[in-house]
């Protein structure tokens, strides 16, 4: 409004100055010509002086009113942005990896980076096979605590069996297929236990807790991050590797999952610890206690070979090397 009124006044002065100068040129010498010339000159001078005063006034007004307002707005936006980033770090994942049929190299590379930078590795999952492979392929030394499914409990494999059947899309002979998958999963648990034993040289200790009814979602918790793999999710197309979320240390999910892990570990049905000094016989005694199977040397070699075959296949698909 200020600039509109000022501009209109300046325009009127310039028009008056131009019109007076034109009329002065049209009349002969005398008083009328002198008056018109004076009017045109005065209007022009007033326009120029008024324009200069307007610039000075506007500049002063800008410094006195607009600039502080802009600075306050910028400060408010910075504070709002900081608050949003804080909320984002506390409640939102830093990375989201969608479900896939094959291992995602980007997912595994980032997780291996987190594993390499941690001193304590907490794992909650089904068999621990993937955790054992990561331990064998990384170059560090950790304190590991693993919560896995207890193969003695029938409900321990129920959720994972349903996930695999959704992925396979089995419909006919469902009961036969379900029973076959259950048997396969019991073997996976035993293979995972052997894998953790074979990875013991990478760790100061590996504490293994078996629970009869483990949560379906997999948890991998490091010093600076937590990874949650959503096997419980049934949204979208079925995939062998479901959606995974990474949260940073200090987030709500990180603290909640650490507390839940401690609760689940304390309520475990069986627990034992493996160290680099644990002998095969000592491990097999723990193995027999948890699985109810006392394996022979041949059976141990079978499970070891099965784990190494899994390790080679997974490492190749995930581009982990080794």
């Amino acid at each position: 409004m200020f600039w509109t009124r000022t501009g209109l006044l300046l325009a009127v002065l310039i028009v008056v100055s131009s019109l007076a100068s034109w009329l002065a040129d049209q009349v002969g010498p005398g008083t009328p010509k002198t008056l018109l010339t004076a009017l045109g000159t005065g209007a022009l001078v007033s326009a120029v002086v008024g324009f200069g005063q307007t610039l000075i006034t506007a500049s002063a007004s800008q410094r006195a009113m607009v600039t502080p307002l802009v600075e306050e707005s910028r400060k408010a936006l910075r504070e709002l942005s900081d608050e949003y980033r804080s909320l984002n770090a506390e409640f939102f994942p830093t990375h989201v990896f969608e479900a896939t049929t094959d291992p995602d190299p980007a997912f595994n590379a980032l997780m291996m980076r987190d594993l390499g930078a941690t001193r304590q590795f907490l794992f909650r999952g089904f068999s621990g096979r993937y955790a054992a492979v990561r331990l064998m392929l990384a170059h560090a030394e950790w304190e590991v605590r693993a919560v896995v499914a207890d193969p003695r409990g029938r409900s321990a494999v129920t959720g994972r069996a349903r996930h695999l059947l959704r992925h396979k899309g089995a419909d006919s002979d469902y009961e036969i297929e379900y029973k076959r998958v259950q048997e396969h999963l019991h073997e996976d648990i035993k293979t995972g236990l052997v894998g953790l034993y074979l990875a013991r040289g990478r760790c100061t200790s590996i504490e293994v807790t078996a629970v009869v009814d483990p949560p379906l979602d997999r948890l991998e918790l490091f010093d600076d991050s937590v990874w949650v793999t959503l096997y419980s999710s049934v949204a979208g197309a079925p995939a062998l590797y479901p959606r995974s979320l990474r949260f940073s240390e200090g987030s709500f999910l990180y603290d909640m999952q650490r507390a839940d892990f401690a609760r689940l570990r304390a309520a475990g049905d069986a627990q034992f610890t493996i160290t680099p000094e644990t002998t095969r016989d000592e491990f097999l005694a723990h193995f027999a206690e948890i699985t109810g199977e006392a394996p022979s040397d041949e059976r141990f070699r079978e499970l070891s070979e099965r784990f190494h075959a899994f390790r080679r296949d997974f490492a190749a698909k995930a581009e982990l090397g080794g």
Side-chain angles (χ1 to χ4, degrees):
M1 181 65 72
F2 172 78
W3 278 105
T4 301
R5 292 178 176 176
T6 303
L8 181 60
L9 177 60
L10 292 176
V12 169
L13 289 173
I14 291 173
V15 169
V16 170
S17 174
S18 300
L19 183 60
S21 298
W22 179 77
L23 290 174
D25 290 339
Q26 302 301 313
V27 299
T31 302
K33 182 179 181 68
T34 302
L35 290 174
L36 288 172
T37 301
L39 177 61
T41 302
L44 182 60
V45 170
S46 296
V48 172
V49 172
F51 181 73
Q53 289 178 335
T54 298
L55 287 179
I56 295 172
T57 302
S59 178
S61 176
Q62 177 83 8
R63 288 194 299 270
M65 298 178 61
V66 179
T67 300
L69 182 61
V70 170
E71 288 303 318
E72 283 297 319
S73 298
R74 287 176 178 172
K75 180 181 177 182
L77 286 173
R78 283 195 298 269
E79 291 175 352
L80 183 62
S81 178
D82 291 341
E83 182 178 356
Y84 176 79
R85 279 196 294 269
S86 174
L87 290 173
N88 191 64
E90 186 169 356
F91 293 103
F92 293 92
T94 60
H95 296 78
V96 177
F97 294 91
E98 298 300 336
T100 62
T101 300
D102 294 314
D104 182 351
F107 167 91
N108 285 285
L110 182 57
M111 182 175 287
M112 291 296 284
R113 189 194 73 182
D114 285 355
L115 176 60
T118 195
R119 294 297 299 171
Q120 187 179 68
F121 175 30
L122 308 183
F123 171 84
R124 185 198 71 208
F126 182 70
S127 68
R129 293 184 305 160
Y130 291 99
V133 171
R134 298 187 199 284
L135 292 172
M136 293 187 75
L137 296 180
H139 300 284
E141 189 174 88
W142 307 271
E143 175 192 348
V144 179
R145 294 176 182 173
V147 172
V148 298
D150 189 331
R152 296 169 300 180
R154 180 175 299 178
S155 62
V157 300
T158 300
R160 189 57 58 90
R162 289 175 178 169
H163 169 77
L164 289 176
L165 288 173
R166 283 201 309 269
H167 172 65
K168 293 175 180 292
D171 12 74
S172 61
D173 299 326
Y174 181 87
E175 291 185 5
I176 296 175
E177 183 68 10
Y178 182 74
K179 185 176 180 180
R180 190 191 69 78
V181 169
Q182 279 187 312
E183 294 172 353
H184 176 79
L185 289 173
H186 277 100
E187 285 295 289
D188 283 350
I189 296 173
K190 295 173 182 178
T191 303
L193 291 173
V194 171
L196 290 171
Y197 169 73
L198 295 174
R200 70 194 186 284
R202 298 287 192 183
C203 311
T204 56
S205 65
I206 303 176
E207 180 191 273
V208 180
T209 303
V211 294
V212 172
D213 191 18
L216 188 55
D217 295 333
R218 186 170 67 212
L219 173 76
E220 285 147 305
L221 198 149
F222 308 105
D223 291 348
D224 299 322
S225 65
V226 60
W227 295 69
V228 182
T229 302
L230 302 174
Y231 283 93
S232 60
S233 175
V234 296
L240 183 60
Y241 301 96
R243 194 167 188 251
S244 296
L245 309 175
R246 179 188 184 274
F247 294 86
S248 62
E249 185 272 333
S251 66
F252 173 76
L253 259 294
Y254 184 95
D255 295 335
M256 183 184 74
Q257 293 295 345
R258 181 174 280 276
D260 188 64
F261 182 90
R263 177 195 62 78
L264 194 64
R265 171 174 163 264
D269 302 288
Q271 189 176 96
F272 66 91
T273 300
I274 306 169
T275 68
E277 291 75 33
T278 301
T279 66
R280 180 188 294 187
D281 289 341
E282 289 172 336
F283 167 72
L284 291 180
H286 294 309
F287 183 93
E289 181 183 354
I290 279 191
T291 65
E293 175 189 351
S296 62
D297 289 343
E298 182 179 353
R299 173 64 167 155
F300 179 80
R301 283 194 298 271
E302 176 193 339
L303 290 172
S304 298
E305 290 169 3
R306 178 171 174 167
F307 171 75
H308 285 302
F310 169 78
R311 174 183 58 80
R312 289 189 294 269
D313 179 66
F314 174 64
K317 289 181 178 178
E319 299 180 9
L320 294 177

